[in-house]
Structure formats: C-alpha cells, structure tokens
Amino acid sequence: MTDPLDRPGRNELIEGLEAIATPDAPPMAELRRRRRNRRVRRRGGALVVALAVVGGLAVALPASETEVETAAFPEGLLTLPSAAVAVDDDGAGVAGSAAWTWRPADSLQARDGSTTGVALRRNAESSDVLVYLLDGGICLDAETCDRHDADYDAEDFARDTAEGGLLSQGVFDVDEGYFRDWNVVAIPNANGDLHLGRSADPAAAGDATQHFVGAQNVARVLRSIAGQEDARVDRVLLAGSGAGGLGVYGTIGRLREIFPTTEIAALIDGAPLPGSARLPSMCLAEQWDARWNLGPPDRWIAPVPPATIGFSAFYAQLADRHPDVRFGLAATRVPGRLAEVLAAEPAACDPLGDDATAQWPSLIDALGPDVDALLNWSVATFDRAEPVLAAPLDDADTGRLHAVLDELLETP
C-alpha cells in the first residue's frame, strides 16, 4: 500500500542537503548516560532560557549570523521607566508596577511596513528576563496572508494584555503566574514569518507588499536588553508559542551570540516537530525559504536530509551544538493549528491530505521519550491541541508544565 504522505520525485534542496556531511548523533544509550550525569552535576554560569511555545517552524536554523542589527531601544529596554501605561479589561489605561507597557520603536517593522513594538512588564528588583515570541499566523501567498493581520500596534497590545488575553493568564498571570516576578518582554508575530524572516527587500503576496523581517526585529530587541549598563541581567528566558515556538528553534544561535557569557535553555511549547520525514513536506520548507529567506542548507544548524530522517533530528543536533543550553519541550498531542500548518500546504504544493494530521498523536507519543533521553532536554506531553504557557490549565497540567520549568531554571 502506498504511503499517503509519500511524495514523488526529489528536488534540488533535498539533493543539496544530502551532499552535506551529516555529523553522527551519539547513540541513545550514551545520551541517556549523559542525562543521568547532568542531574547530579550542573555546569556553572548564568542562565538564559529559551522558551518556544507555539507557532514557528524550525526548518532553517541559522547557526551563526554575520549581520549586526542596531538595538531597537538604544537607551536600553530594561532601563526605561516602570510601566506608565497598562490596560484594564476594557482597554483603559491603568498604572501599576507589575502592569504592561507598550513600547513601539521605529526600527521594528511589521509585515505591512508599519511600526510595531514590544509589550514590556518591568520588575526593577529582578535580574531575570523572559523574552516571549508570540503566536500568530504565517504569510506565504495571497490566501495565507489574507487570513491574518499584517501589523501589530497598541490596539492589539491592549487586546492581548486585557483580562482573558494571551498575556494575562497562565504563566503571565500577574498574581499567581510562574513569571509574576520576572521582567517580561513579549515580541509580537507581526511579520507572519515565524520570527525567522530575513528578507532584505519587501516581497509581494497578491497585490500587497510584505516585509518579512521577523528575525531582524527579534535581534534588535535582544540587543536592546544586552547592550545596557544600568540593568543587571543574570538570566534570560526565550519563550515562544505557536509560530513563536517554532521561531525559538531558529533563534537559539542568535541568542548565544548576543549573550555570549550567559547560560541558555529553551522550552518549545506546543511546537513539537513530529518524527515524520514529511511533516513538514520539503515543498512547504522550500516555500518558507523562498518567501522568508531563511537561508541555504549550509546555514542550517542541522544539515540533515529531512526527506530521509525527518525534522525531529533537529533535537539531537541542537543538543550536540549547544551542550550548555537547557531545552524544554511542551508537546501537544492533539492535532491543532500547528499540525494543520505542517500538513496543509500553500497553492504551490500538493495537499498532504487528512492522513497527515491523523498520525499526529502517535508521532508525538513516539517523539517524547527519544527527546527526553537527550542530555539537555526535558519533555512534558499535554493531551490538548493548543499551547500551554498562556493558557489556564488544570492542576495536573499546571504541575507538568511547572516541573519542566523548574528543571530548566534550576540553579547550576
């Protein structure tokens, strides 16, 4: 019987990948041994945690960048005054030390070319910083681009920080949330490119001009945090949900460059890469690269042929490339938006069909133990479709999520 996910033919991208020497990952027994040792002996250093929740796709993972972006906030983001303007559930301005502030910057550009910014929650007594990549849609062609907003401004910020909004519940709850005492910098998915786009020139999708500069926006915000002298930053947590989660996979290398002496860890929430050789398909991966300029295979962090062993191999490659980074995965086993994104293709690709998402639960069940066995990975699986960081959870799921966070943030 023919595999319903099988695709005929081979393309130039696959051939280019196969021509690259692939480093052998350590055998699973060795990875488990290292993991046991890690529990009794931690490396020293400060901690930067990368949390990827939901939404980006980890096809191209730049290992190193040569561009040096200017800081979006030259005066330093964390040295700005504590929240002067936040929002209540009606969107009206309120004041408070734990409240959110909208900080726009001319150098941060949304997909339609307008100015965007970041949502900031300050705690002057804390040296911990959570950088959170928000979820959002993707823009590949006229149809997919039309489904989502092409900008993110103060009005969107008010919606997301109001009661019931993405930044008001779960780990972001100001009274009981896991990060209630942290500084939090939330970066909107204003470009539809998984926070990974690096297009030098605006691209066209239908009749509209699109600016795919998500990676540039993220780097400029990170430099605004790192390049200030008056604010102590001992620990940085990079988190992402949905599209933002997939974006975390491709941001770890840049995070390390900008914070070279800070220990880093990553949690990918609701954005697992299943153990399938064809989710996402190579056609979809090519579309991402062509539209967002993710980079050729020699800039990827894991030069492995996805058509042969699947994108799930990135987990072992990330563990091998960043042994000092702590990674976490909050895997969702019910097919949701992410499964649909990986299986449903733009007009340029043939659809994979319903069988692709039907396999999702079994693929995630198989992925969890293998990833959890890696030296510097921790995994929790959730029987739900959407990401967990910004969601109200029951006691059991809250305990699962907090256990992963506790392990990631454990003092070395």
Side-chain angles (χ1 to χ4, degrees):
M1 180 176 178
T2 302
D3 184 345
L5 298 183
D6 204 9
R7 311 305 279 283
R10 308 180 67 81
N11 52 45
E12 294 181 359
L13 180 58
I14 295 178
E15 293 172 359
L17 284 165
E18 291 178 329
I20 300 174
T22 305
D24 294 331
M28 190 60 66
E30 171 62 13
L31 293 172
R32 289 194 176 97
R33 184 191 67 78
R34 294 181 187 177
R35 180 175 173 78
R36 286 194 299 270
N37 290 342
R38 178 181 65 121
R39 296 184 182 279
V40 298
R41 180 177 55 85
R42 297 287 191 179
R43 295 181 176 87
L47 175 63
V48 176
V49 180
L51 278 173
V53 181
V54 178
L57 188 60
V59 185
L61 304 180
S64 173
E65 304 292 348
T66 57
E67 311 95 295
V68 178
E69 299 83 356
T70 57
F73 303 89
E75 70 275 40
L77 185 57
L78 298 183
T79 53
L80 294 174
S82 295
V85 179
V87 293
D88 60 18
D89 54 4
D90 295 320
V94 296
S97 60
W100 290 94
T101 306
W102 174 245
R103 298 291 186 184
D106 291 340
S107 63
L108 300 180
Q109 195 173 41
R111 179 159 59 89
D112 64 358
S114 63
T115 295
T116 187
V118 299
L120 174 66
R121 199 170 80 191
R122 287 284 323 282
N123 180 358
E125 302 301 317
S126 174
S127 59
D128 295 328
V129 182
L130 165 62
V131 178
Y132 180 60
L133 306 184
L134 268 71
D135 193 2
I138 63 171
C139 173
L140 287 172
D141 53 21
E143 181 180 354
T144 56
C145 294
D146 286 345
R147 296 174 189 165
H148 310 285
D149 292 338
D151 63 350
Y152 189 102
D153 55 20
E155 184 177 345
D156 300 298
F157 160 79
R159 176 200 65 215
D160 285 345
T161 51
E163 184 177 356
L166 292 175
L167 298 174
S168 71
Q169 52 191 2
V171 299
F172 299 108
D173 185 283
V174 294
D175 296 317
E176 300 179 355
Y178 193 94
F179 299 108
R180 61 189 179 277
D181 296 326
W182 286 48
N183 295 286
V184 182
V185 180
I187 305 176
N189 179 12
N191 304 94
D193 59 5
L194 310 180
H195 298 274
L196 298 176
R198 296 133 47 103
S199 296
D201 302 309
D207 298 327
T209 299
Q210 315 290 339
H211 297 260
F212 299 117
V213 292
Q216 174 181 283
N217 288 346
V218 171
R220 285 179 169 168
V221 173
L222 292 177
R223 290 193 184 282
S224 298
I225 298 170
Q228 54 190 45
E229 298 179 357
D230 298 332
R232 177 182 172 185
V233 178
D234 289 336
R235 187 162 51 174
V236 178
L237 170 63
L238 174 63
S241 293
L246 292 173
V248 171
Y249 288 103
T251 305
I252 297 298
R254 176 56 61 90
L255 186 68
R256 166 57 75 214
E257 292 177 359
I258 295 175
F259 293 89
T261 61
T262 308
E263 192 173 327
I264 55 180
L267 171 66
I268 290 77
D269 167 26
L273 293 174
S276 169
R278 293 169 295 279
L279 285 177
S281 73
M282 288 309 301
C283 179
L284 182 57
E286 288 176 323
Q287 291 293 307
W288 290 340
D289 187 24
R291 181 63 66 190
W292 304 330
N293 188 29
L294 298 181
D298 61 1
R299 293 174 69 179
W300 295 14
I301 198 170
V304 293
T308 302
I309 61 177
F311 282 89
S312 60
F314 280 127
Y315 294 110
Q317 295 292 334
L318 281 169
D320 186 58
R321 180 177 289 274
H322 298 291
D324 59 340
V325 175
R326 298 180 193 173
F327 294 95
L329 176 65
T332 47
R333 66 181 306 276
V334 178
R337 280 192 299 169
L338 175 65
E340 294 172 0
V341 166
L342 298 184
E345 315 226 315
C349 303
D350 295 329
L352 291 176
D354 295 338
D355 287 339
T357 53
Q359 295 184 23
W360 186 265
S362 60
L363 291 172
I364 299 305
D365 288 343
L367 176 69
D370 286 345
V371 176
D372 195 49
L374 296 171
L375 169 67
N376 46 349
W377 280 87
S378 300
V379 179
T381 302
F382 298 85
D383 198 20
R384 52 184 289 129
E386 301 305 322
V388 298
L389 280 181
L393 304 174
D394 61 27
D395 290 344
D397 281 349
T398 297
R400 242 180 248 109
L401 176 59
H402 285 194
V404 171
L405 292 171
D406 287 344
E407 184 165 353
L408 288 174
L409 299 170
E410 183 180 37
T411 302

